[in-house]
Amino acid sequence: MRTKEGNKDKDILEAAVKVFAEYGYHKSKISKIAEVANVATGSVYVYFKNKEDILLRIFEELWEKLFHEYRKIARGKELQPANKFDKMIDMIFDLFTENPALAMVFVNEQNHLMLTNEDQFTKNYDKFLDEGIFVIKEGISDGTFSKDLDLAIFRHYIFGAIRNLLHNWAKEPRNFTLNNIRQNIKYLTMNGIKN
Amino acid sequence: MRTKEGNKDKDILEAAVKVFAEYGYHKSKISKIAEVANVATGSVYVYFKNKEDILLRIFEELWEKLFHEYRKIARGKELQPANKFDKMIDMIFDLFTENPALAMVFVNEQNHLMLTNEDQFTKNYDKFLDEGIFVIKEGISDGTFSKDLDLAIFRHYIFGAIRNLLHNWAKEPRNFTLNNIRQNIKYLTMNGIKN
DNA sequence: TTTATTTTTGAATCATTATTCAATTATGGT
DNA sequence: ACCATAATTGAATAATGATTCAAAAATAAA
């Protein structure tokens, strides 16, 4: 028999991230992804059910990673709520610093996935945000954060802000430094704009 | 000769907003838009160059409206910066209360337009945000807002937060009231989450 | 009414690409 | 070396849906 030549599924996934980031999901051709991955077009279908499935797996891996990191931070005993919150922001920025193309796909292709796989997507999104909210609740209990917060709203507020900033950064990295964005998000979220 | 039967271009535009909102741009068929607009498929091409052009016009009209309203608020002499800011938030929420489907298209199809028409899109987006930033600068001058704000970052922060909340509201209106979202955005942006 | 002109129509065409699959190639065991 | 099996290939197929266009319908003017 014959053995596999390497990690084609990983190659394809990584190629897809690059291609989706550059062209967007709909303008990305399977043949292009195959080319970038250095495999034949047909091979893509050995490892993935279809084009959709590729995007799905990219998001699944990403959510998986984000969720576990967040859970670890949220459930830790050492840090104060405010520091946990800080660390959560850091974590997401570190991840995207390492892989800007992934950031691009993450912020841009959400919508497509929601239309085709809303349930699955929402489930992961909620699980992820819940860990953040866990920390906020802790902070409300101990007086760090305002008890008037509407958590159902705040979760989308902060996520939207981060997502949009990452998007604009990925699009035009020279306009901002990720580090600067990260610090500003922390400050704005904590203190707002008033003097 | 023959006269036009009505405002087919307006009908098509309105139908497209509905259809795009429900299915997303890529899954929206011209034939479906035509059906909803009560015109023949071919008629769409009398009024619009192609599918892309329809989306483009939806956004152009919207930006036009948003920009003029924002400019009026920003350049007014009566209100204080903080009140202008309030009014700007109100304006956007009022607009989307009137037309939730438009909100959906606005928040979801940005990305597609950016890939195909980035320059035009960015120009409108920037013009719009600049009016908001004008007010923030005013407020920094008179001491209402913190002079440490990084405006290049804040503009994307607030826009992203609003966009994501509108998206989630449009997707599941019964989870939130728009009025509640609006108040929370004002509060969070002004004061942050700290106690 | 008839005619000239413009609008409207929707089935046929065309283009694009996702997907399939028969052929080919590589590997490990015998 | 040869065989059996699995992996890989990429050209052919199929499906979708945007776009076109020749025909039909409606209107206003003559």
Side-chain angles (χ1 to χ4, degrees), chain B residues 25-118:
Chain B
Y25 178 78
H26 289 283
K27 295 212 173 150
S28 296
K29 304 179 203 168
I30 295 290
S31 57
K32 180 70 182 175
I33 293 172
E35 183 199 316
V36 172
N38 268 312
V39 300
T41 303
S43 295
V44 173
Y45 288 85
V46 173
Y47 294 92
F48 299 91
K49 194 156 95 279
N50 50 35
K51 189 177 173 183
E52 180 88 17
D53 187 39
I54 301 174
L55 187 61
L56 209 54
R57 288 227 220 150
I58 291 172
F59 269 82
E60 261 174 18
E61 282 192 11
L62 184 57
W63 281 125
E64 186 75 8
K65 189 162 184 170
L66 289 171
F67 171 68
H68 281 301
E69 298 279 354
Y70 264 46
R71 170 160 276 243
K72 202 161 55 190
I73 296 168
R75 309 301 163 127
K77 300 289 185 194
E78 283 81 36
L79 299 175
Q80 299 299 106
N83 295 326
K84 287 182 181 177
F85 177 76
D86 254 35
K87 216 174 165 191
M88 282 176 160
I89 304 289
D90 284 341
M91 191 256 126
I92 210 165
F93 275 83
D94 290 344
L95 183 63
F96 289 124
T97 304
E98 286 162 26
N99 196 343
L102 187 58
M104 210 62 183
V105 175
F106 181 63
V107 299
N108 286 333
E109 307 307 340
Q110 256 198 39
N111 179 43
H112 174 77
L113 229 47
M114 292 251 302
L115 288 165
T116 54
N117 265 298
E118 178 168 343

Side-chain angles (χ1 to χ4, degrees), chain A residues 45-74:
Chain A
Y45 287 86
V46 174
Y47 294 92
F48 299 90
K49 195 156 96 282
N50 51 36
K51 189 178 173 183
E52 180 88 17
D53 187 40
I54 302 175
L55 187 62
L56 208 54
R57 287 229 220 148
I58 291 172
F59 269 82
E60 261 174 18
E61 283 193 11
L62 184 57
W63 282 126
E64 185 74 8
K65 189 162 184 169
L66 289 171
F67 171 68
H68 281 300
E69 297 279 355
Y70 263 47
R71 169 160 277 243
K72 203 161 54 190
I73 297 168

Side-chain angles (χ1 to χ4, degrees), chain A:
Chain A
M1 68 146 189
R2 184 183 181 181
T3 49
K4 290 187 182 178
E5 286 174 9
N7 280 14
K8 288 208 194 306
D9 53 349
K10 193 161 152 286
D11 293 346
I12 293 166
L13 235 28
E14 282 172 9
V17 168
K18 282 186 209 162
V19 175
F20 288 160
E22 179 167 358
Y23 303 100
Y25 179 78
H26 289 283
K27 294 210 175 152
S28 296
K29 304 179 203 168
I30 295 289
S31 57
K32 179 71 181 176
I33 293 172
E35 183 198 316
V36 172
N38 268 312
V39 300
T41 303
S43 295
V44 174
Y45 287 86
V46 174
Y47 294 92
F48 299 90
K49 195 156 96 282
N50 51 36
K51 189 178 173 183
E52 180 88 17
D53 187 40
I54 302 175
L55 187 62
L56 208 54
R57 287 229 220 148
I58 291 172
F59 269 82
E60 261 174 18
E61 283 193 11
L62 184 57
W63 282 126
E64 185 74 8
K65 189 162 184 169
L66 289 171
F67 171 68
H68 281 300
E69 297 279 355
Y70 263 47
R71 169 160 277 243
K72 203 161 54 190
I73 297 168
R75 309 300 163 129
K77 300 289 185 193
E78 284 80 35
L79 299 175
Q80 299 298 107
N83 295 325
K84 287 182 181 176
F85 177 76
D86 254 35
K87 218 175 164 189
M88 283 176 160
I89 304 289
D90 284 342
M91 191 258 126
I92 211 166
F93 276 84
D94 290 343
L95 182 64
F96 289 124
T97 304
E98 286 161 26
N99 196 342
L102 187 59
M104 210 63 184
V105 175
F106 180 64
V107 300
N108 286 333
E109 308 305 341
Q110 257 199 39
N111 179 43
H112 174 77
L113 229 47
M114 292 252 300
L115 287 165
T116 54
N117 264 298
E118 178 168 345
D119 296 342
Q120 188 57 32
F121 185 90
T122 305
K123 210 181 99 237
N124 285 320
Y125 176 63
D126 283 343
K127 270 178 63 181
F128 168 73
L129 290 185
D130 282 345
E131 294 304 315
I133 292 306
F134 177 91
V135 172
I136 303 298
K137 281 181 180 163
E138 240 182 14
I140 293 175
S141 297
D142 79 0
T144 308
F145 304 131
S146 164
K147 65 185 181 328
D148 295 331
L149 291 179
D150 183 327
L151 299 178
I153 289 175
F154 174 68
R155 50 166 46 196
H156 297 303
Y157 173 92
I158 177 81
F159 188 77
I162 292 175
R163 181 158 93 103
N164 196 41
L165 274 161
L166 283 172
H167 169 87
N168 280 281
W169 166 77
K171 196 162 59 78
E172 211 59 75
R174 58 176 55 76
N175 288 355
F176 319 93
T177 72
L178 266 186
N179 218 38
N180 201 220
I181 295 174
R182 162 196 330 220
Q183 296 311 331
N184 272 271
I185 286 179
K186 287 179 186 175
Y187 181 86
L188 282 169
T189 308
M190 196 62 86
N191 307 291
I193 62 176
K194 74 160 189 323
N195 203 358

Side-chain angles (χ1 to χ4, degrees), chain B residues 115-154:
Chain B
L115 288 165
T116 54
N117 265 298
E118 178 168 343
D119 295 344
Q120 188 58 31
F121 185 88
T122 304
K123 211 181 98 237
N124 285 320
Y125 176 64
D126 283 343
K127 268 178 65 181
F128 168 72
L129 290 185
D130 282 345
E131 294 304 316
I133 291 307
F134 177 91
V135 172
I136 303 297
K137 281 182 180 162
E138 238 182 17
I140 293 175
S141 296
D142 79 1
T144 309
F145 304 130
S146 164
K147 65 186 182 325
D148 296 329
L149 292 178
D150 183 328
L151 299 178
I153 290 176
F154 175 68

